[in-house]
Amino acid sequence: MRLRFSLTYLQNGIEDAWQRIPSITAKFVAEASVILDRLWILRLLYAGLDSDDDAQIYIRNNILEILLGFYASPLSDIESKELNLQVWFTEEEEGGEKEEEENKREKKKKGRGKTSGTWVG
């Protein structure tokens, strides 16, 4: 649907007959535009995943599931798949850092509760 809209927009945007382009060329340009938009969105998702809060927003909105579905679809080209994996690995790294921080906090809590060789807490 979006490709058809882009194609119609491109063809209707040309008013002079000498500037008109063949439909096949217009279709190619419209399809290239859709691919560039898709790559832009994937890059934006990758760049926007900076913290654990960002990861939680992605999880709450099922962004990662959508990316997984897109990865498996025939519309996903090599570059899209690579960007998709980058988002997944970034999310994994963020989650791993969070677990490490939680483990450190737990160790500190346990260390504070220790008095004269017995655990209090």
Side-chain angles (χ1 to χ4, degrees):
M1 181 68 178
R2 189 168 177 196
L3 181 62
R4 182 174 291 151
F5 173 74
S6 296
L7 178 62
T8 304
Y9 179 78
L10 180 65
Q11 286 180 326
N12 291 340
I14 301 172
E15 296 176 3
D16 296 332
W18 65 273
Q19 291 179 327
R20 296 208 184 264
I21 55 176
S23 292
I24 190 71
T25 305
K27 184 176 180 180
F28 175 76
V29 170
E31 188 172 338
S33 172
V34 170
I35 291 170
L36 290 174
D37 288 349
R38 180 173 50 217
L39 294 174
W40 178 80
I41 290 169
L42 288 169
R43 286 186 187 111
L44 184 64
L45 288 171
Y46 173 68
L49 189 58
D50 287 335
S51 68
D52 291 335
D53 292 334
D54 297 331
Q56 289 302 315
I57 291 169
Y58 281 30
I59 290 168
R60 254 185 277 131
N61 291 299
N62 299 319
I63 299 297
L64 301 175
E65 287 81 3
I66 292 168
L67 287 173
L68 186 60
F70 177 66
Y71 183 88
S73 86
L75 296 174
S76 182
D77 59 353
I78 299 291
E79 191 172 359
S80 296
K81 287 183 180 188
E82 287 174 357
L83 285 168
N84 200 327
L85 289 174
Q86 286 179 352
V87 173
W88 272 95
F89 287 124
T90 299
E91 195 277 330
E92 231 175 67
E93 289 169 7
E94 291 291 331
E97 290 172 7
K98 185 177 180 181
E99 287 177 16
E100 286 177 21
E101 287 177 20
E102 287 177 8
N103 289 338
K104 287 179 185 176
R105 279 190 227 129
E106 287 297 318
K107 286 180 183 178
K108 284 182 182 179
K109 284 181 186 177
K110 288 180 182 177
R112 285 188 208 141
K114 192 175 182 182
T115 55
S116 65
T118 59
W119 289 97
V120 179

